[in-house]
Amino acid sequence: MAESKSKVLIIGGTGYIGTYLVRASIKLGHPTFILVRSPTPSDPAKANLIKSFQDSGVTVLKGDVDDRESLVAALRQVDVVISSVNGEAVASQVKIVEAAKETGTIKRFIPSEFGNEVDRLEIDFKVLEGVFQTKSSVRREIKKSGIPYTFVISGGFAGYFVSNLANDNVSSPPRDKVTIWGDGTTKAILNTEEDIATYTIKSIDDPRVANKFLHIRPKENTLSHGEVVALWEKKIDHNLEKTVVSKEELRKIIEETPFPANILHAIRYSIFVKGDQTNFQLDDNDVEATELYPDVHYTTVSTYLDQFV
Ligand SMILES: NC(=O)c1ccc[n+]([C@@H]2O[C@H](COP(=O)([O-])OP(=O)(O)OC[C@H]3O[C@@H](n4cnc5c(N)ncnc54)[C@H](OP(=O)(O)O)[C@@H]3O)[C@@H](O)[C@H]2O)c1
């Protein structure tokens, strides 16, 4: 008999990456729950999103990470918790750990990571301390709790770093000129949101990924900024005018740009200049998604760019 699929609660399911996680969870056949602060939001786009989830069979629970009672009640209904919260709620995830300890039934907790491996990089800019150090402290609390976990190290989202060639104020790859961060040769890892969500959901019932870091590192998607731009130039069959922003110039931009606009620059520095996504080797605590799940036909950066030609 086929094993039953875990029931999954996604906290942050109405957010950017959360929406992909909910869709992947449904697609892979998991009974799917979301915890939302407002089940009937005034924002019509969010209301429509929640309605579309409900139409697909998602159970919508009202609650808040900061409301213990709602959290415990939600956790009692599921086996696995995935969090994709943002901002201040990243710190509040310790309350999810506390609630999971209270219920004692959570088989896996996947906290809101979906980015760089924050314990294997040096934080260069104060602006990144908040979120990186908080993610790290949440990890420590999860490990202490004994609740099985997976930390998803996803690389950069394609919608943030590929659809615009990591440039400002464009929603599709530019056709005339482009800014290159650093010398353009540092390797980054860039994945589509759909693939990140698929690998995350595939991992939740997989014992090989319990208490591990799940890295999503397709070889074809391990590319420098210069290589991404070159792929695009080949597709549109002409070269872009390039403005190179040196490492030193980017540092100055980060220091002079007010918060929160400086966050994105600091992340660009981390991934395209310093190489924080690729400058460490995987070890015994790490597993790699494309090796674990060769059946997933992930989207390469090249294929992703095709939609914009
Ligand atoms: N690798 C990359 O390129 C990349 C890019 C962006 C983000 N990320 C990471 O992805 C993760 C999620 O970010 P995102 O941009 O997807 O976030 P987002 O779009 O801002 O969505 C956050 C979600 O969390 C929910 N939420 C916030 N506070 C909550 C609370 N107290 N209780 C319950 N729900 C709460 C929000 O609900 P409401 O609908 O009620 O607001 C929303 O659904 C973060 O860890 C972030 O660092 C990575």
Side-chain angles (χ1 to χ4, degrees):
M1 206 177 74
E3 271 187 40
S4 65
K5 301 232 175 187
S6 281
K7 291 185 215 155
V8 183
L9 173 70
I10 298 163
I11 304 177
T14 55
Y16 181 76
I17 195 65
T19 300
Y20 292 93
L21 290 163
V22 173
R23 292 193 181 125
S25 177
I26 300 162
K27 195 169 169 194
L28 292 174
H30 291 274
T32 303
F33 298 65
I34 56 173
L35 184 82
V36 295
R37 291 184 283 188
S38 168
T40 51
S42 52
D43 171 6
K46 207 155 262 190
N48 283 339
L49 180 68
I50 292 176
K51 165 91 173 56
S52 79
F53 286 161
Q54 284 171 318
D55 291 345
S56 310
V58 173
T59 304
V60 178
L61 306 172
K62 182 172 166 33
D64 190 311
V65 169
D66 291 313
D67 172 10
R68 171 75 169 240
E69 213 176 303
S70 67
L71 207 47
V72 170
L75 262 56
R76 286 203 196 284
Q77 301 198 47
V78 299
D79 310 300
V80 169
V81 186
I82 302 175
S83 164
S84 56
V85 297
N86 64 329
E88 285 169 14
V90 171
S92 292
Q93 290 180 111
V94 291
K95 297 174 183 170
I96 306 176
V97 181
E98 290 305 317
K101 280 202 284 192
E102 184 175 331
T103 64
T105 51
I106 294 302
K107 294 195 310 199
R108 192 79 62 89
F109 178 31
I110 299 187
S112 190
E113 289 272 347
F114 308 107
N116 284 3
E117 206 314 35
V118 294
D119 285 329
R120 280 176 269 187
L121 55 77
E122 265 179 47
I123 300 174
D124 302 87
F125 301 100
K126 214 166 172 39
V127 65
L128 293 182
E129 275 178 7
V131 70
F132 282 13
Q133 289 177 351
T134 306
K135 284 183 174 180
S136 189
S137 66
V138 168
R139 288 180 185 180
R140 286 196 296 276
E141 289 305 312
I142 297 170
K143 286 182 178 175
K144 253 198 292 177
S145 75
I147 296 158
Y149 61 84
T150 297
F151 301 142
V152 179
I153 310 302
S154 65
F157 296 169
Y160 273 65
F161 300 105
V162 183
S163 61
N164 52 7
L165 301 186
N167 273 232
D168 293 321
N169 305 320
V170 286
S171 54
S172 58
R175 290 173 178 269
D176 47 0
K177 45 192 177 184
V178 67
T179 298
I180 304 279
W181 309 110
D183 68 6
T185 63
T186 301
K187 297 280 188 185
I189 300 172
L190 304 161
N191 290 307
T192 69
E193 292 76 358
E194 285 89 350
D195 290 339
I196 292 167
T198 300
Y199 286 122
T200 301
I201 301 296
K202 294 274 279 185
S203 76
I204 61 182
D205 284 333
D206 185 344
R208 298 173 297 173
V209 196
N211 300 332
K212 300 276 186 198
F213 289 83
L214 176 67
H215 298 263
I216 307 174
R217 287 187 165 195
K219 287 195 179 59
E220 298 95 322
N221 291 358
T222 305
L223 296 167
S224 69
H225 194 193
E227 287 170 326
V228 176
V229 170
L231 276 173
W232 175 242
E233 288 177 325
K234 200 163 171 215
K235 287 179 194 297
I236 59 170
D237 200 23
H238 79 91
N239 289 343
L240 307 184
E241 183 190 320
K242 299 184 184 68
T243 302
V244 172
V245 174
S246 70
K247 179 178 177 174
E248 293 70 29
E249 285 166 333
L250 182 53
R251 288 189 77 99
K252 199 159 178 279
I253 290 172
I254 296 162
E255 277 148 22
E256 290 174 356
T257 304
F259 178 83
N262 54 354
I263 296 178
L264 185 57
H265 286 302
I267 301 269
R268 286 174 179 161
Y269 185 90
S270 165
I271 70 177
F272 289 123
V273 176
K274 265 179 71 211
D276 282 337
Q277 294 178 333
T278 52
N279 60 12
F280 64 94
Q281 300 295 317
L282 303 193
D283 65 30
D284 291 348
N285 291 319
D286 300 304
V287 287
E288 200 286 314
T290 65
E291 285 174 12
L292 287 183
Y293 309 114
D295 54 312
V296 174
H297 299 292
Y298 60 81
T299 302
T300 64
V301 168
S302 176
T303 303
Y304 179 85
L305 284 170
D306 285 341
Q307 68 184 296
F308 300 106
V309 176

